[in-house]
Amino acid sequence: MHAQTSDPSSPLSLLTREIHHHRRLRHPHILALYEIIATESSIYLITELCTGGELFDYLVEKGRLSMGETRRVFGQLVLGVAHLHQSGVVHRDLKLENVLLDERVNVKIADLGFGREFEKGRWMETWVGTLGYCAPEVVAAKRYLGEGLSLLHTGRMRQVLTLAPRGRHLVAWRHPVHAPHGLAAVRRRRRGDHEGEDPQVRVRHAYLARRG
């Protein structure tokens, strides 16, 4: 691999953090990493099997969850996030697509590439994550607290679990733009600068650009 580790969103940086965090985190609702296999050209992560797929796809297939199932799924998610925080780690990219499900539909938090160790009360400045879930502070390029970011992310997921449109209409809610490029587009639009911006992306940013 020739990726630069100085870029927090480079493939090598993401993989390095992913391995680092998963090696030391052990919890029923955090994806377990069992083994790492490295060859000359590839690195393979052997994790526990999650035949239920992503929570996002589960919602698309099943539709809005009942209150009982929402309480169970969200409760497991909160337990996993609490363990992350107790271990001094903030995920920073919590979203439906990064929550996997096992064969019994138990939550497994995955994709810790943007995860970072933190100190309680200490501000963060790196703008990472998925635009559709971003906190206002991140969109505005301001400092933020890691634990507060997790609260906002889990709150948005809780809202989608009970209020999201049913079936394939939920697919339209998926936001494909990731930081830092997506955030940069939002900030340009706030300044009235649309040069070089994809019209379809402009439409997806419209709501966030009007806020705050």
Side-chain angles (χ1 to χ4, degrees), residues 74-199:
F74 186 71
Q76 293 181 356
L77 175 64
V78 169
L79 289 174
V81 172
H83 182 75
L84 287 173
H85 290 177
Q86 290 165 5
S87 302
V89 176
V90 60
H91 191 290
R92 298 198 297 178
D93 196 25
L94 284 167
K95 56 184 178 179
L96 298 172
E97 295 91 330
N98 286 343
V99 177
L100 303 181
L101 303 172
D102 67 11
E103 71 280 2
R104 297 183 178 179
V105 197
N106 289 311
V107 163
K108 306 289 179 177
I109 297 174
D111 199 349
L112 288 164
F114 282 133
R116 176 183 164 181
E117 285 88 358
F118 74 99
E119 296 178 16
K120 191 175 181 64
R122 185 169 183 175
W123 296 93
M124 295 184 176
E125 298 181 353
T126 306
W127 308 314
V128 297
T130 301
L131 186 58
Y133 290 82
C134 278
E137 294 87 348
V138 177
V139 175
K142 296 180 179 179
R143 297 185 305 165
Y144 58 91
L145 293 174
E147 290 173 298
L149 197 65
S150 296
L151 290 175
L152 184 140
H153 290 167
T154 53
R156 286 188 174 174
M157 284 190 280
R158 168 66 173 80
Q159 184 180 30
V160 175
L161 288 175
T162 54
L163 301 179
R166 295 185 180 277
R168 61 185 180 181
H169 299 293
L170 180 61
V171 176
W173 187 88
R174 185 194 294 266
H175 206 297
V177 183
H178 287 64
H181 306 295
L183 297 180
V186 171
R187 292 164 191 154
R188 287 197 307 270
R189 170 162 260 274
R190 282 180 166 178
R191 297 194 303 265
D193 179 8
H194 308 307
E195 184 177 355
E197 187 174 311
D198 187 321

